[in-house]
Amino acid sequence: MAMHGIFLEAIGYLIFLLFGLTATRLVFTLQGADTSITQYGVDYLSIVLCFSFGIYTEVIFERLLQSTGKTIYTMFTQGLGAILNIIFDPLLIFGIGPFPAMGIKGAAAATVLGQIAAGILALFLNFRVNDEIQLHIKEFKPDIKAIGNILYIGVPSILMVAIGSIMTFCINNILVVFSSTAVAVFGVYFKLQSFAFMPVFGMNNGIVPIVAYNYGARKPERIKKTVQLGMIYAECIMFCVFLLMQMIPTQLLKLFSASDDMLAIGVPALRTISLSFLLAGICVVCTSFFQALGSGVSSMLISFLRQLVVLVPLAYLLAQTGDLSMVWYAWPIAELVSLAFSIVFFIRLDRKLLKPIRDDQKTAVN
């Protein structure tokens, strides 16, 4: 299965290599970007996509380490990639020392250099410490059934990420009607919210194998405890970021050199959108619970419902009022709908998969 995962990642890279060579300009022209932004975007995206074998290598071999519980090593690989990116950014953008001044292309080059280094380290660590998985490239032959098993779990996750990209594309087109500053505010929010979601997603990477292991071991009480703790920790993290966005939105926006116009739009935007954080922690942990029990479709449906069925249409309808401040309320409303369906799916999956185990154990005890 590991070899088939690597095989599918290689196919994925070839697809995006082709896209990077032929279609990057289309991404920006469809969003109404002006000529200078389009050229910057094409320069950056072409390099990132054509050299994306680094991120593909990093991700697949990090997942193999996580699958056997060696998550500490993925911290090293991701840390290496991030540190090298930070170091090479100024060197390649501004041409410091022996490095050429490459501008936006330098930023892209710094990104892919960090990814390639992280990928090489992840590959090395798998051969060095991941004894549970033996990779034999020469003996590999693609098997349709194995590919189907991977895609059955993986496609919903792929679609979840794709849904997020489609949502961003749609929201940008809704906001640009008001002003390019509104689009910039949305971009800043997206960067800020990553500080809330990154630690939660990182924690979920640990939750998934624990829940999966204990489901296989028929230990539903451990699953319950893991999910409960995950929700508590996730909500604590989200609540802290919520407080920051409520109390110091101006300072957060100024981290991105916000103009007066951006502050006027961004402060109410951050305060309104951050209301969704109060619910998001539970939803994210539920998503991991579904994936760990093999119900990736449930995760995909909730993501699709939140971002495309509720958020985008609601943002469009609220935009028709002509009041930009109303558009931001689409986020907490969409998160509330997502929470309701997450709870329904959680109860349904618990009754279907975990309740029979609990009943069998009670019978055995009696």
Side-chain angles (χ1 to χ4, degrees):
M1 297 305 289
M3 285 303 307
H4 279 85
I6 296 170
F7 173 71
L8 291 173
E9 292 287 309
I11 293 176
Y13 164 65
L14 294 176
I15 292 172
F16 280 97
L17 171 63
L18 180 62
F19 189 89
L21 293 172
T22 61
T24 52
R25 188 171 297 275
L26 181 64
V27 174
F28 299 95
T29 56
L30 287 176
Q31 296 186 76
D34 62 34
T35 304
S36 61
I37 292 177
T38 297
Q39 190 55 54
Y40 281 134
V42 170
D43 290 343
Y44 186 90
L45 194 59
S46 297
I47 293 173
V48 168
L49 293 181
C50 291
F51 292 90
S52 60
F53 62 86
I55 190 64
Y56 270 102
T57 302
E58 177 186 354
V59 169
I60 182 62
F61 287 104
E62 283 180 351
R63 295 302 178 270
L64 294 182
L65 289 167
Q66 290 171 351
S67 70
T68 55
K70 297 178 175 63
T71 55
I72 185 67
Y73 294 105
T74 63
M75 181 183 70
F76 299 149
T77 58
Q78 293 176 19
L80 175 66
I83 291 170
L84 289 179
N85 192 353
I86 292 170
I87 292 173
F88 280 112
D89 262 331
L91 297 178
L92 294 175
I93 292 173
F94 302 112
I96 299 173
F99 297 93
M102 299 172 62
I104 192 68
K105 292 182 179 179
T111 297
V112 298
L113 284 173
Q115 293 170 347
I116 292 170
I120 292 173
L121 179 60
L123 176 63
F124 169 77
L125 289 172
N126 267 276
F127 284 106
R128 185 67 180 269
V129 303
N130 212 5
D131 297 330
E132 293 88 343
I133 298 178
Q134 301 295 324
L135 302 176
H136 303 286
I137 297 177
K138 293 183 179 180
E139 301 173 8
F140 172 72
K141 292 181 179 179
D143 179 77
I144 297 298
K145 184 177 180 180
I147 292 174
N149 289 335
I150 293 174
L151 293 180
Y152 179 76
I153 301 297
V155 166
S157 297
I158 294 171
L159 293 177
M160 284 170 60
V161 177
I163 287 169
S165 299
I166 295 171
M167 180 275 291
T168 302
F169 178 84
C170 294
I171 292 295
N172 281 341
N173 281 280
I174 292 171
L175 294 176
V176 76
V177 175
F178 291 94
S179 68
S180 58
T181 303
V183 177
V185 167
F186 178 58
V188 170
Y189 157 72
F190 234 70
K191 293 178 176 65
L192 290 173
Q193 61 101 33
S194 66
F195 288 101
F197 284 98
M198 277 194 297
V200 175
F201 288 149
M203 180 181 64
N204 281 354
N205 286 336
I207 289 176
V208 170
I210 293 173
V211 171
Y213 293 157
N214 283 287
Y215 175 62
R218 299 177 64 82
K219 296 183 181 296
E221 290 305 314
R222 288 188 178 180
I223 295 175
K224 178 181 177 181
K225 183 177 180 181
T226 300
V227 172
Q228 286 178 338
L229 289 173
M231 288 182 176
I232 291 171
Y233 294 148
E235 282 297 301
C236 288
I237 293 170
M238 302 303 277
F239 183 70
C240 289
V241 181
F242 163 77
L243 287 180
L244 289 175
M245 289 194 177
Q246 292 295 319
M247 297 171 64
I248 55 169
T250 300
Q251 288 81 351
L252 293 175
L253 289 167
K254 285 185 176 180
L255 292 174
F256 299 88
S257 302
S259 64
D260 291 339
D261 288 341
M262 183 178 286
L263 291 175
I265 295 173
V267 168
L270 292 185
R271 285 177 172 160
T272 302
I273 296 177
S274 63
L275 293 172
S276 63
F277 289 4
L278 299 175
L279 309 173
I282 295 174
C283 296
V284 172
V285 175
C286 284
T287 297
S288 297
F289 175 77
F290 303 148
Q291 291 175 331
L293 296 186
S295 185
V297 174
S298 297
S299 300
M300 181 192 68
L301 289 176
I302 290 173
S303 183
F304 180 78
L305 177 73
R306 178 176 64 247
Q307 299 188 70
L308 295 187
V309 177
V310 180
L311 178 58
V312 171
L314 186 57
Y316 175 77
L317 291 175
L318 292 173
Q320 303 313 302
T321 65
D323 184 355
L324 178 59
S325 63
M326 293 296 295
V327 176
W328 311 122
Y329 283 98
W331 273 263
I333 294 173
E335 201 65 50
L336 182 62
V337 174
S338 174
L339 176 63
F341 277 87
S342 295
I343 293 172
V344 171
F345 287 170
F346 184 94
I347 294 173
R348 181 172 173 268
L349 201 61
D350 179 78
R351 289 176 177 174
K352 180 181 178 181
L353 298 180
L354 300 184
K355 187 176 183 297
I357 298 176
R358 291 193 292 266
D359 292 343
D360 290 345
Q361 290 175 346
K362 288 179 181 178
T363 302
V365 171
N366 292 335

